[in-house]
Amino acid sequence: MKFDLRYLGAEEYPRHAAFLAEHWGPEHPYVKRRALFDWTFRRGELWDREGYSWLYAEDSGTMISSLGAIPFELNIRGKTVPAVWPVTWMTAEAYR
């Protein structure tokens, strides 16, 4: 199987929220609170791409898996470097 991998664009939040609601649960905080999702994954000062620090996989245009990464500054022996913390990995049951 071949899948397409892309970063989630800001305009795609409703589609992603629907994916999380279906495969994780409608009460998930990222489904109920877009402001929290934006604050966590759209940190312009720490993320140098348009949209969210959230990667997702598609199969023929259908979202099948997603992985969020929270941007932060990592301190390594006094030197600060950009980093991400991988969180919230979800894959549709049919693809697990």
Side-chain angles (χ1 to χ4, degrees):
M1 283 192 249
K2 183 178 184 272
F3 305 110
D4 295 316
L5 296 174
R6 297 190 313 119
Y7 284 100
L8 188 69
E11 73 285 353
E12 295 178 293
Y13 171 80
R15 180 177 178 225
H16 181 64
F19 175 81
L20 284 179
E22 180 181 349
H23 297 286
W24 196 320
E27 297 300 314
H28 192 284
Y30 293 147
V31 173
K32 294 177 73 174
R33 296 182 183 92
R34 182 176 182 162
L36 176 62
F37 188 83
D38 287 349
W39 179 81
T40 307
F41 300 105
R42 197 163 183 211
R43 297 178 174 207
E45 71 280 3
L46 298 172
W47 184 247
D48 65 353
R49 296 179 183 264
E50 293 286 326
Y52 297 104
S53 56
W54 196 286
L55 187 66
Y56 70 92
E58 284 185 323
D59 182 8
S60 302
T62 300
M63 191 177 290
I64 60 167
S65 187
S66 68
L67 173 65
I70 300 172
F72 70 101
E73 292 180 330
L74 177 65
N75 186 306
I76 303 174
R77 298 182 182 163
K79 182 179 180 187
T80 302
V81 296
V84 294
W85 174 29
V87 296
T88 319
W89 181 18
M90 170 54 57
T91 300
E93 189 172 344
Y95 290 87
R96 293 181 199 160

